[in-house]
Amino acid sequence: MKPSFVQKQTSRRDILRGSVTLAGSAILAQLFPATLLRASAVGYAQQATSPANLLADMRAKFNAAPLETQTLAEDVTMLSGPGGAVVVLNGPDGKFVVDTFVAPAWPRLKEALDALGNTPVNYVIDTHWHFDHTDNNAQLHASGATVLAHENTKKRMSEPHDLPVLYRGPDGALAGLHFDPSPAEALPQQTFRTTYKLQANGESLTLQHVPPAHTDTDIYVHFEKANVIQMGDLFFNGMYPYIDPGTGGKITGTIAAADKILSLADNDTKIVAGHGPLGNKADLTKFRDMLVTSRDRVEKLKSAGKSAQEAVAERPFADLDPVWGNGIINSEQWVQIVYLTL
């Protein structure tokens, strides 16, 4: 299924309109591989396409992924599968959990956390506001955890968001996602503006906000002793990323975030991506270089007066696609994401 966004973008109004549509279409592409989207298009068109039904279906498909466990250090574990990656610091001071998967994964997430030991979850840390990283905040808060995030994450989660998506329903109307404000129990109870530090289980954690990148809410979490950095969706390992223009995302900020992490990492650093396998400094360097190349090529086309759709027609990433275009964002979408987030 191909995106149905901007047909013509020759004015600021057109660009803004395109950014809203892209926000929705890329959200959908972020959740499912392009092949699955194409195969599902007809079925979706035959079903009720209310925002609530669509969001429930997205969560269910996320939840279909197996939950896998990988030890990163003596007390640091990565859980991956139904909604990206969760990192857990575990020890006598309790569990410190970074991101929380989608809501239907809660029973498996709880089981995996319990398997790490009988200490309680003391803190939940959100890397940004998107639902696949925050859905189980409320469940963990109910069990006694404090939810900690950047102040913009609380702001975004407190707001409604409407995102159109890729296809039209049976009545011809554009189907869309609607996010109600998150319930109070899911919101961060503690927030910070720039930097926050935690000491627990013999580990030093640094939480650092970055300028607008994937969104305007992003932080990374540095487990300093373990030499592990959780980047959330600042890093999509081995694939084109989604950058959210609807909540402040910028490709220049995404590049700057990669540069920041590269300055902290050494060749032994384990770098946890929001989507994709566990990475290292070499993987992040390749991702950063792809971002720079993408920015420069699309910026040249945009400066020459090309619309987003005309930029797509130029196929500026033809040489990059064999490596980067087989993931959750395809080449056409990536051109338009870059165009709208320059």
Side-chain angles (χ1 to χ4, degrees), residues 123-334:
Y123 271 90
V124 170
I125 300 166
D126 295 332
T127 59
H128 63 292
W129 80 272
H130 285 155
F131 74 95
D132 51 318
H133 298 259
T134 62
D135 252 4
N136 288 302
N137 282 6
Q139 296 276 19
L140 288 163
H141 177 56
S143 68
T146 297
V147 181
L148 172 63
H150 187 261
E151 60 188 12
N152 287 351
T153 293
K154 184 173 184 177
K155 175 179 181 292
R156 293 300 188 184
M157 291 179 68
S158 301
E159 301 168 341
H161 297 276
D162 288 287
L163 302 175
V165 291
L166 284 176
Y167 65 89
R168 295 186 181 276
D171 60 356
L174 188 68
L177 284 176
H178 174 76
F179 295 92
D180 288 323
S182 298
E185 57 269 24
L187 298 176
Q189 290 85 48
Q190 284 185 227
T191 64
F192 64 97
R193 179 167 295 179
T194 305
T195 304
Y196 196 95
K197 291 185 178 290
L198 288 167
Q199 300 284 333
N201 298 321
E203 180 62 89
S204 297
L205 284 72
T206 297
L207 286 58
Q208 180 67 50
H209 181 244
V210 298
H214 170 68
T215 66
D216 62 9
T217 71
D218 303 296
I219 67 169
Y220 64 82
V221 181
H222 189 184
F223 299 80
E224 296 178 7
K225 179 181 175 183
N227 199 13
V228 171
I229 302 175
Q230 160 68 306
M231 290 185 67
D233 283 358
L234 295 170
F235 181 28
F236 282 56
N237 192 9
M239 65 190 80
Y240 292 134
Y242 173 52
I243 302 174
D244 184 351
T247 53
K250 299 289 183 184
I251 189 168
T252 53
T254 307
I255 293 167
D259 285 335
K260 174 64 175 178
I261 300 305
L262 288 171
S263 74
L264 296 174
D266 59 36
N267 292 334
D268 296 321
T269 305
K270 295 179 176 68
I271 303 177
V272 180
H275 298 273
L278 180 67
N280 56 30
K281 189 171 185 177
D283 296 322
L284 183 57
T285 298
K286 292 175 186 176
F287 178 72
R288 184 261 183 200
D289 291 346
M290 178 276 293
L291 293 175
V292 171
T293 298
S294 299
R295 178 201 62 192
D296 292 349
R297 291 179 184 179
V298 174
E299 193 169 52
K300 183 177 180 181
L301 292 170
K302 191 171 183 178
S303 296
K306 301 284 187 181
S307 69
Q309 207 62 37
E310 289 168 338
V312 168
E314 294 283 335
R315 299 190 66 237
F317 305 145
D319 59 324
L320 302 178
D321 291 343
V323 175
W324 300 96
N326 300 311
I328 53 184
I329 296 292
N330 67 32
S331 184
E332 291 185 2
Q333 292 165 332
W334 179 232

Side-chain angles (χ1 to χ4, degrees), residues 26-44:
I27 278 281
L28 190 65
Q30 179 181 341
L31 305 186
F32 309 120
T35 52
L36 178 59
L37 283 173
R38 285 193 292 269
S40 301
V42 175
Y44 277 140

